[in-house]
Amino acid sequence: MSTVDEFYAAYDRVLQKWPVEVEVMNVNTPHGTTRVNACGPVDGPALVLLPGAGATSTVWFANVDALARHYRVYAVDLMGDVGRSVPGGQEWSLRNDPGDRAIDSVEELLGWLSAVFDELNLPTAALCGHSYGAMIALAYALRHENRVDALTLLDPNSCFGSMSPRYLLHALPILLSPNEKRQRSFVRWETDGAQLDSDWLDTLALGAAHAPTTKTIVPKRPKPAAFENFGVATTVVLAGKGKVHNAARIEAAVRTALPAARTVILGGATHHTLPIHPAAEVNAILLS
């Protein structure tokens, strides 16, 4: 079995952990086919979930049971990242070449998400993102406020402050030459050796080993003026033990930029344990 096949096998094992009936959807967009794993009542209010880089849509396995009791949940594999979204109509693999369909600007990245909303027939939705997914979610809400009913950002890096130099230093080997061993070591360091689901960790590590070679499009940190007259109800959840940034400092920055936002610091969480742990607290926040 090739490493890519091992990745897909791990992805499917994690999806099988979802304790709800899953509708697998392949949504066509100008940049390729987007995989969406949906659950919950079809007439429920819509909640779109964007994972962190490399985590894939399967990462919400500890959350969807509670969320699907109220929401129609749409968990998305990010285009250009590992997962089952297919850039440019080609299967993601070691040889993936998305060609001229690749997303190469923030404008196109946000346009891709609008296309996903459109194809899912969602005029509006609640939007939640973790890490890189939170960066996309915030940029989208600032650009398309009329389409976001509520915004939840789980430990958003580079949205309200800089990432820790210490964190970036530890991440540098993965950024320069990613492989499975380095990914596992990095997550073990950031989570202080927390017991993570082994199948999901396999998905993360195997994906890092053979991630697409396309450039990751990263929205810039919004300037203070971007938040003027921003009316989306926003919750920012911060990992109290996380090493991406200092949670108290980011909380203060959020209060300055968005005084009306709700901020929650989860004392037992780290950046890479979210949203799996503490799932109950994350679920309660999203359901409130």
Side-chain angles (χ1 to χ4, degrees):
M1 181 182 291
S2 71
T3 306
V4 171
D5 290 335
E6 289 177 343
F7 165 80
Y8 283 127
Y11 178 107
D12 291 342
R13 287 198 303 272
V14 181
L15 190 59
Q16 290 169 4
K17 296 176 187 288
W18 285 33
V20 293
E21 184 177 349
V22 180
E23 181 181 358
V24 176
M25 311 173 75
N26 293 306
V27 176
N28 292 321
T29 76
H31 297 284
T33 304
T34 299
R35 172 61 59 90
V36 179
N37 292 307
C39 60
V42 294
D43 58 349
L47 171 62
V48 174
L49 302 175
L50 304 181
T56 81
S57 62
T58 65
V59 72
W60 308 96
F61 65 89
N63 311 100
V64 288
D65 186 33
L67 300 180
R69 297 174 192 174
H70 176 70
Y71 291 109
R72 177 62 171 174
V73 177
Y74 300 94
V76 180
D77 278 348
L78 301 176
M79 187 62 74
D81 194 21
V82 298
R84 290 191 177 272
S85 288
V86 183
Q90 299 183 24
E91 186 70 18
W92 177 78
S93 72
L94 299 181
R95 300 165 298 283
N96 183 49
D97 179 10
D100 61 3
R101 293 288 189 92
I103 294 174
D104 58 12
S105 69
V106 173
E107 189 70 30
E108 289 188 346
L109 179 65
L110 302 183
W112 160 76
L113 189 53
S114 280
V116 172
F117 272 55
D118 292 342
E119 290 299 313
L120 293 173
N121 295 313
L122 302 179
T124 65
L127 184 59
C128 171
H130 171 232
S131 189
Y132 175 51
M135 298 172 72
I136 298 173
L138 177 59
Y140 188 80
L142 288 169
R143 187 74 59 88
H144 301 285
E145 183 174 340
N146 63 321
R147 302 201 69 170
V148 180
D149 296 324
L151 178 67
T152 305
L153 307 174
L154 303 181
D155 215 39
N157 43 319
S158 298
C159 288
F160 299 97
S162 300
M163 288 192 284
S164 160
R166 179 173 174 236
Y167 179 85
L168 293 172
L169 183 64
H170 276 81
L172 189 60
I174 299 175
L175 297 174
L176 293 176
S177 182
N179 62 47
E180 181 180 349
K181 181 179 179 180
R182 287 178 174 178
Q183 182 67 67
R184 291 181 187 276
S185 176
F186 178 66
V187 171
R188 186 164 55 249
W189 167 76
E190 200 282 327
T191 62
D192 292 324
Q195 292 298 311
L196 299 174
D197 182 88
S198 60
D199 292 319
W200 177 77
L201 189 56
D202 285 346
T203 305
L204 185 70
L206 291 165
H210 296 292
T213 57
T214 52
K215 178 183 177 182
T216 301
I217 303 301
V218 180
K220 292 182 179 179
R221 187 195 315 169
K223 295 181 179 180
F227 295 104
E228 293 179 3
N229 303 314
F230 182 62
V232 177
T234 301
T235 299
V236 180
V237 180
L238 300 168
K241 295 176 63 179
K243 297 175 182 176
V244 171
H245 42 225
N246 180 283
R249 290 176 185 171
I250 299 300
E251 181 183 39
V254 172
R255 288 176 175 171
T256 298
L258 276 174
R262 176 174 59 155
T263 58
V264 180
I265 296 179
L266 298 178
T270 82
H271 186 76
H272 291 281
T273 63
L274 290 171
I276 301 168
H277 176 78
E281 286 86 340
V282 170
N283 299 342
I285 290 164
L286 284 167
L287 289 168
S288 65

